[in-house]
Amino acid sequence: MAQNVGIGTSSPQKKLHVVSADSIALQIQGADLSSSTAAVGISLRPTNNVSFEWMALRGRDDAFVINSARLYLNRKYNNEIRTVMFVDELGQVGIGGTEANLPNTGLAKLNILQNGLTADGIYLEAPYPYNGLLIRGLSSSLYPNPSAQSISAIRFDYNQSPNSRITMENTFQPTTPRMNIEIYNPATYDYEKAFTISTTYASVTKTLYVDKSLTVTGPIYANGSIFAGVTRPFVDVDMPTNYIAEIFCACPNGLKAIGGGGGHRDYNTAAQDIKINYSGPDPGNDSRWKVIATNTNTTQLRAVRVYAICAAIQ
């Protein structure tokens, strides 16, 4: 009918129109199903130079998959064949001419090889506020304790070696999720948490370096030491007899005076002659400490020391 062929229908709409009661309308079978090179396929040829071929091949020659098969989508251009997509017997998908079995790392459901192209390996565009990518981990009876079970992860390798990963887990209750950034440690052959964030806290378990400013709202608690470049410079001054003096101790460049003091330099009876009239910040310069002292002795000089506590604090 109109040069169309119908199988199971008397009114074919295409060059070949097949209607089947069992939902499998077409079967393509190799002549020798026991052959180690058994393969069947379909070629789609939209132009003279380009064709696409679905090829079903025998499984890999090992005991686990010898009776299964793999499926390839190949692109043929000017007699050069390149694999576009690959599906194996375990439901794993490889895109870009690679199989989904990652070398030395076990099995992956999806493996994308860019072949040196500059385009992104995966590009997701969500025009509406929906999840562009959803990774969902399922509970397992093998890990009944949810506090120790990582429910899902994103892993990053470098040169086919473990590098880092992001894991999402629930601790004790499904309502307390947390996300971890983990770094692989070759010495222990395991991942170590570097940064953790939950609904109530964020924790850095490695050394934290901040190149720019760090803003904190609320109090800061530290179990260890806080280093702020603290130094304690001092100046010694010989005060004339019966004399009042204004003495300054300056901090190193870039530091602020957060404390200080002064008085007689030595512990002896002469210390009774020095009176401190003022010891505090210099109102005109926050990078130095100010002391006003009086030598009440009418016949002898007295040694006075003034010091500042300086730190890298604004």
Side-chain angles (χ1 to χ4, degrees):
M1 180 179 295
Q3 297 182 339
N4 293 342
V5 176
I7 301 177
T9 176
S10 59
S11 57
Q13 304 299 311
K14 301 296 180 183
K15 292 301 179 183
L16 177 61
H17 188 170
V18 180
V19 177
S20 174
D22 63 359
S23 301
I24 300 177
L26 181 65
Q27 176 172 321
I28 302 175
Q29 181 173 316
D32 184 359
L33 298 181
S34 63
S35 171
S36 61
T37 60
V40 293
I42 300 175
S43 177
L44 308 174
R45 187 174 182 181
T47 70
N48 288 330
N49 295 328
V50 178
S51 64
F52 291 88
E53 300 172 350
W54 275 110
M55 298 292 296
L57 308 177
R58 179 186 171 92
R60 291 184 292 268
D61 290 331
D62 59 70
F64 299 103
V65 295
I66 195 169
N67 291 322
S68 60
R70 295 174 292 169
L71 184 65
Y72 284 87
L73 175 61
N74 297 325
R75 177 181 181 269
K76 186 176 182 181
Y77 176 73
N78 285 341
N79 294 322
E80 180 180 348
I81 298 177
R82 178 172 63 88
T83 299
V84 177
M85 187 173 69
F86 159 90
V87 183
D88 73 357
E89 63 282 344
L90 299 177
Q92 301 174 122
V93 179
I95 298 177
T98 180
E99 296 191 13
N101 187 12
L102 296 178
N104 304 320
T105 60
L107 300 178
K109 285 299 181 183
L110 176 64
N111 187 18
I112 298 177
L113 179 64
Q114 291 186 240
N115 288 325
L117 301 178
T118 58
D120 294 331
I122 299 177
Y123 177 76
L124 301 175
E125 183 175 351
Y128 301 102
Y130 300 135
N131 297 324
L133 176 64
L134 174 63
I135 300 176
R136 174 177 293 167
L138 301 178
S139 299
S140 171
S141 59
L142 297 178
Y143 303 98
N145 182 5
S147 65
Q149 179 186 2
S150 177
I151 64 172
S152 56
I154 303 174
R155 178 171 138 177
F156 307 92
D157 286 3
Y158 177 76
N159 195 24
Q160 298 184 1
S161 298
N163 180 274
S164 57
R165 70 182 182 183
I166 299 174
T167 59
M168 279 63 69
E169 60 183 341
N170 288 343
T171 56
F172 303 107
Q173 299 180 29
T175 57
T176 57
R178 70 183 182 187
M179 180 183 72
N180 308 301
I181 297 179
E182 305 177 0
I183 305 298
Y184 185 78
N185 186 349
T188 61
Y189 302 100
D190 200 1
Y191 289 89
E192 298 177 353
K193 290 182 176 64
F195 177 72
T196 298
I197 184 170
S198 74
T199 56
T200 57
Y201 70 91
S203 173
V204 178
T205 54
K206 301 291 183 180
T207 302
L208 176 64
Y209 295 97
V210 180
D211 291 335
K212 300 296 183 179
S213 61
L214 178 65
T215 301
V216 178
T217 301
I220 299 177
Y221 302 95
N223 293 325
S225 301
I226 298 178
F227 177 76
V230 175
T231 60
R232 294 180 176 84
F234 65 87
V235 293
D236 289 331
V237 177
D238 289 331
M239 292 194 63
T241 60
N242 196 24
Y243 185 76
I244 183 172
E246 188 179 45
I247 308 170
F248 300 96
C249 181
C251 292
N253 187 35
L255 302 183
K256 305 295 183 182
I258 61 173
H264 193 267
R265 185 190 62 189
D266 305 314
Y267 177 68
N268 53 37
T269 58
Q272 302 174 87
D273 296 334
I274 296 299
K275 306 300 181 185
I276 302 299
N277 308 109
Y278 174 83
S279 178
D282 180 6
N285 189 339
D286 60 3
S287 65
R288 65 183 185 178
W289 196 257
K290 175 182 175 179
V291 168
I292 299 175
T294 300
N295 178 10
T296 62
N297 191 290
T298 59
T299 60
Q300 291 182 322
L301 298 173
R302 289 293 180 252
V304 173
R305 171 167 291 180
V306 174
Y307 70 95
I309 303 174
C310 307
I313 296 177
Q314 297 297 319

